[in-house]
Amino acid sequence: MGPAEPLQNISISAESPRGSERNGGGAAGADGPAARGWRHKCAAYVLALRPWSFSASLTPVALGSALAFRAQGTLHPGLLLGSAVTVLAVHGAGNLVNTYYDFSKGIDHKKSDDRTLVDQILEPQDVVRFGVFLYTLGCVCAAGLYAVSTLKLEHLALIYFGGLSSSFLYTGGIGFKYVALGDVVILITFGPLAVVFAHAVQVGALSVSPLLYAVPLALSTEAILHSNNTRDMESDRQAGIVTLAILLGPACSYVLYAALLFLPYLIFCVLATRYTISMALPLLTIPMAFSLERQFRSRSFGRIPQRTAKLNLLLGLFYVLGLALAPAGALPGL
């Protein structure tokens, strides 16, 4: 299901566990070096996953499940949990693939935000093994979903392996990220694909309506990637990467970011005025969107991807809540 950059390109920075050991090596502690080293290793794995980006996976799963609840009046908690773990596993694996290939291609360096491999916080083989484990976990969870859900095997496999492939091919293999196609991958994977996956697992069949309801969330998620790529425009150009932000340039990139931020609110306004007022709930986040727009316009890109991800999470939660509060039959297709 692989929400890919999810995103995979979104950067993190962390203090090297090895540096921490050097700084505190002389202090006596209750646990020995082995225990401290184990904890540092676990912390490094968590950082490599970039868990702050997981809102881009969880909100589509929540949205797809909410749409299924509106359609059939029931919700299977086990299928919801299984869908979330499956999508998160593939998303996390995709993040590790991004880390590995960016490092192996010489894109990450000492001034990069993601220095997991550059600073030897983890070794390349650690990242590869962890990525394989997560992909395996995702496949096991998908098999479990098939055993419990009434969804046809070919339909589940089509959606799941489509997402898994996109999570890998974003930087591995073809490397869509490097040829200005990464935005298309993210727009499809973190919106329609993940929402349809969660919805289909619940109702046991594919449907068109989740594709339409996924649009606002997909646009918001794409804003995370675009803000990251705009921030990294110069370093990406020097590394030989071609992103949509580079093709558009600073001025047009701002226009696109503003459109990605505010188009979802336009959609929510239409839904609220034509169908049900509960769809106005996501509008509560619009002050945050205006703050991000001002920050982007002033080219103050520090932590703007993380702040955009926070907006994406809140927007998604209010969206799901609005769906849950909508009267029966108030929304088209549900």
Side-chain angles (χ1 to χ4, degrees):
M1 252 346 321
E5 177 113 331
L7 290 128
Q8 301 160 335
N9 186 33
I10 305 304
S11 304
I12 60 169
S13 60
E15 178 186 1
S16 168
R18 300 182 180 185
S20 300
E21 289 180 11
R22 286 195 296 269
N23 293 337
D31 12 57
R36 288 196 300 271
W38 181 83
R39 285 202 304 270
H40 286 148
K41 194 82 166 180
C42 289
Y45 278 124
V46 171
L47 284 173
L49 289 175
R50 309 171 199 179
W52 64 267
S53 70
F54 284 167
S55 66
S57 290
L58 292 176
T59 48
V61 171
L63 177 60
S65 301
L67 291 170
F69 175 75
R70 297 301 309 179
Q72 61 183 10
T74 59
L75 186 69
H76 194 303
L79 292 176
L80 172 59
L81 179 61
S83 299
V85 174
T86 302
V87 172
L88 284 175
V90 178
H91 181 173
N95 284 348
L96 295 172
V97 170
N98 183 89
T99 294
Y100 178 82
Y101 277 98
D102 275 359
F103 175 76
S104 64
K105 293 176 183 292
I107 294 168
D108 286 340
H109 48 78
K110 285 294 184 181
K111 292 185 179 180
S112 299
D113 285 333
D114 182 5
R115 299 194 303 273
T116 304
L117 294 178
V118 175
D119 289 349
Q120 297 183 321
I121 298 172
L122 291 174
E123 298 297 331
Q125 60 267 27
D126 295 329
V127 172
V128 170
R129 283 195 291 262
F130 195 25
V132 170
F133 167 76
L134 289 177
Y135 276 134
T136 304
L137 175 62
C139 291
V140 170
C141 290
L145 289 173
Y146 171 68
V148 179
S149 173
T150 58
L151 183 64
K152 292 181 179 179
L153 176 60
E154 57 268 30
H155 292 166
L156 186 145
L158 176 66
I159 305 171
Y160 173 73
F161 286 106
L164 185 149
S165 300
S166 70
S167 79
F168 179 81
L169 294 175
Y170 184 83
T171 46
I174 297 173
F176 290 115
K177 166 187 172 180
Y178 308 126
V179 291
L181 292 175
D183 296 80
V184 177
V185 173
I186 296 306
L187 195 63
I188 295 173
T189 306
F190 279 93
L193 202 60
V195 174
V196 167
F197 177 75
H199 179 271
V201 165
Q202 288 285 341
V203 303
L206 297 179
S207 177
V208 175
S209 59
L211 295 173
L212 303 177
Y213 283 97
V215 171
L217 205 54
L219 294 174
S220 176
T221 304
E222 167 59 16
I224 306 173
L225 175 62
H226 184 63
S227 65
N228 185 86
N229 287 347
T230 304
R231 181 195 63 185
D232 296 341
M233 195 182 299
E234 290 306 317
S235 60
D236 285 348
R237 185 182 286 112
Q238 292 172 7
I241 298 176
V242 180
T243 63
L244 182 60
I246 291 175
L247 293 177
L248 292 177
C252 290
S253 288
Y254 162 74
V255 173
L256 177 58
Y257 182 72
L260 293 170
L261 277 184
F262 294 113
L263 276 177
Y265 295 109
L266 179 61
I267 297 172
F268 292 133
C269 285
V270 172
L271 292 174
T273 54
R274 294 196 59 182
Y275 299 105
T276 171
I277 192 62
S278 66
M279 283 291 95
L281 278 173
L283 298 179
L284 293 173
T285 63
I286 203 166
M288 186 182 298
F290 277 110
S291 173
L292 285 166
E293 181 274 330
R294 288 192 298 269
Q295 182 179 350
F296 194 102
R297 179 159 33 95
S298 64
R299 302 188 62 78
S300 302
F301 293 122
R303 296 193 62 79
I304 196 170
Q306 289 88 338
R307 292 192 62 211
T308 308
K310 183 178 180 180
L311 172 64
N312 173 259
L313 174 61
L314 294 175
L315 186 79
L317 291 177
F318 280 120
Y319 188 12
V320 170
L321 181 59
L323 284 171
L325 295 176
L331 290 167
L334 298 179

